[in-house]
Amino acid sequence: MTKTFRTLDDVDVKGKRVLLRVDLNVPMDAGKVTDTTRLERVMPTITELSSKGAKVILLAHFGRPKGRDDKNSLKPVAAALADVIKKPVGFADDCIGEPAAKAIAAMNDGDILCLENTRFHPEEEKNDPAFVAKLAELGDIWVNDAFSAAHRAHATTEGLGHKLPAYAGRTMQAELVALNKALEAPVKPVIAIVGGAKVSTKIDLLENLVTKVQALVIGGGMANTFLHAQGVKVGKSLCEKDLAPTALRILDKAEAANCAIILPVDATVAYHFEANAPSFAYGLDAIPPDSMILDVGPRSIERIHAAIDDAATLVWNGPVGAFELTPFDKGTVEAAKHAAKRTKAGKLVSVAGGGDTVAALNHAGVADDFTYISTAGGAFLEWMEGKPLPGVEVLQVK
Ligand code: 3PG
Ligand code: MG
């Protein structure tokens, strides 16, 4: 997917009005940004464009509003962004029409302006051509730095790429290079670790991965469904019993594709789903009927380590246990630390992303030691499913 795309190296931005699509969809609580990771990620492109004398006009969505709704205003996010990038960030109350046009007309080269939530207009999500045209009037070029919104074919994530000269921002560029190294053109053997609660949300992902990787570790609640399908009695564990046939089909597909499936060989169980609940390690033939599997067991952890040692490339999505509750974070933390160690030793290219994964790796204290960690949720999953991402496709040079 990353064959050729234009980057900021291919354009002289001085004096140009740059419509820069960023992902400012940050978690907020009581009007305050609670995690600034995404703001830090958009900083390199903003500062580069500003220092090269562009007029930097930020386009972004926030939340999923139905029409204009002050609770979803980007104004407080723009203020938080200004703090992170240590530069003034102006704000306009609408992303089209007079408020936007006036604010842009008043900009000097190097200025940064954030336009109000693009989703205040329903035409954004419809990728409405008339809306795209109104946006396009405001800029000379379009730069997409929002990989994490690239699975959406919306006006500002995709439509503008057909109307204006289109370029990948630095964060998008880094993401595409990293993802290319992970699955499209990886050093083999490639191992994937996939965890999380449910098989039902990751069927397409698993079916794609077994055709691309040499080993696939399945952990988390979803592993219970596979174990159940193989006849293991999983007690009161989270388990989608109706998906047993799907699990068996995925196992068959893996075998046909020569992908080794690595399921837990033992389990850490408890009788209550709570932090510090008394926990016990059991073999799979001995899970007590009234207990729940909350993490992989010690022998499984060793197996995962050995599998990581055999790999040159790792792609990781989803925790392998209930990592938000100690001590059921152990499997995830140990595997993450091991992958980090191999990466630091230069033996492994490690790429992780999607939903809880970043939180899990932060919790393990190894986020900085991975080769690349994506802040994308849905977009990362769709990429792992092998689906084309509209916001990336539109950047391809034909
Ligand atoms: C995200 O936070 O995952 C992206 O910004 C996309 O948001 P969406 O799922 O509301 O389209
Ligand atoms: Mg999402």
Side-chain angles (χ1 to χ4, degrees), residues 63-182:
R64 293 174 178 173
K66 303 265 165 282
R68 187 170 272 274
D69 163 8
D70 282 345
K71 282 199 301 295
N72 285 301
S73 174
L74 271 175
K75 203 167 184 177
V77 184
L81 176 66
D83 287 344
V84 169
I85 68 176
K86 299 192 175 61
K87 284 181 194 300
V89 176
F91 190 76
D93 277 325
D94 200 348
C95 67
I96 52 165
E98 206 173 283
K102 263 193 169 162
I104 293 168
M107 290 174 87
N108 293 314
D109 290 357
D111 280 358
I112 302 160
L113 173 73
C114 179
L115 304 183
E116 182 58 288
N117 194 344
T118 55
R119 286 190 186 168
F120 282 180
H121 296 272
E123 297 92 330
E124 157 76 334
E125 289 176 66
K126 295 193 185 110
N127 205 348
D128 176 75
F131 181 67
V132 173
K134 283 184 203 160
L135 288 162
E137 280 171 20
L138 302 173
D140 302 308
I141 67 168
W142 175 70
V143 175
N144 189 3
D145 213 23
F147 176 83
S148 46
H151 55 321
R152 309 291 181 212
H154 295 172
T156 60
T157 61
E158 200 270 349
L160 275 172
H162 298 288
K163 284 292 266 188
L164 292 175
Y167 301 87
R170 295 301 183 198
T171 299
M172 172 71 85
Q173 183 183 349
E175 184 99 29
L176 297 181
V177 168
L179 296 188
N180 194 51
K181 271 202 258 176

Side-chain angles (χ1 to χ4, degrees), residues 14 18 22-23 76-77 87 148 173 206 253 296 304 367 374 396:
K14 182 153 178 40
V18 177
V22 285
D23 192 347
V77 184
K87 284 181 194 300
S148 46
Q173 183 183 349
L206 293 169
K253 198 168 171 185
V296 294
I304 295 172
S374 173
Q396 303 290 330

Side-chain angles (χ1 to χ4, degrees), residues 227-251:
L227 296 175
H228 162 77
Q230 292 181 325
V232 173
K233 296 206 165 46
V234 297
K236 288 199 175 146
S237 308
L238 189 73
C239 177
E240 294 169 289
K241 296 204 162 131
D242 53 323
L243 286 183
T246 305
L248 293 176
R249 186 184 73 224
I250 291 167
L251 294 176

